[in-house]
Amino acid sequence: QVQLVESGGDLVQPGGSLRLSCTSDTNLFSINLMGWYRQTPGKQREMVATISRGKLTTYADFAKGRFVITRDNTANTVSLRMNNLRPEDTGVYYCNSDQSWQLDTGWGKGTQVTVSS
């Protein structure tokens, strides 16, 4: 089982930015599709963005134009740059492989993002 540790969450004001990081104990090159997911209050966990081994990206509609997902296969990290944050972005953010997301397994502790004035 891949161990993933998320970090970078914080309390920020609306319009602010954060960079989330996810470190893996596994060579990420072995995993094709990695992603960031979030669980906001009262909602089910949802996909935020995914990135393939070859750096192809997909974004949820709410993330398009504001969030950027990157990965460093050498450093075994996946990052999420979030700009123009909104209060509705408040939640716990997780990284995971797409496969584990589909199976709803392998979740780490996540990192808390709070957007509030």
Side-chain angles (χ1 to χ4, degrees):
Q1 182 99 11
V2 176
Q3 298 297 317
L4 300 164
V5 178
E6 303 93 345
S7 63
D10 206 345
L11 169 63
V12 294
Q13 293 187 343
S17 298
L18 281 176
R19 183 181 179 86
L20 307 183
S21 294
C22 171
T23 301
S24 168
D25 68 345
T26 298
N27 185 348
L28 277 185
F29 195 77
S30 66
I31 302 174
N32 180 34
L33 203 58
M34 290 293 298
W36 280 94
Y37 307 87
R38 73 181 189 182
Q39 186 155 23
T40 56
K43 295 185 178 180
Q44 290 188 330
R45 191 149 36 199
E46 60 185 343
M47 186 275 285
V48 177
T50 64
I51 184 167
S52 72
R53 183 188 296 125
K55 311 292 178 71
L56 295 176
T57 58
T58 61
Y59 294 93
D61 285 344
F62 63 79
K64 290 178 181 177
R66 299 190 300 133
F67 297 180
V68 179
I69 187 171
T70 57
R71 70 188 281 174
D72 184 332
N73 293 324
T74 300
N76 297 329
T77 59
V78 181
S79 298
L80 184 70
R81 175 70 177 179
M82 305 189 295
N83 299 315
N84 193 20
L85 284 162
R86 306 164 180 166
E88 54 264 39
D89 294 318
T90 294
V92 182
Y93 286 69
Y94 306 85
C95 72
N96 210 343
S97 70
D98 177 74
Q99 183 177 33
S100 292
W101 149 255
Q102 300 287 345
L103 296 173
D104 194 22
T105 187
W107 298 105
K109 294 182 178 179
T111 187
Q112 175 71 45
V113 172
T114 303
V115 185
S116 175
S117 55

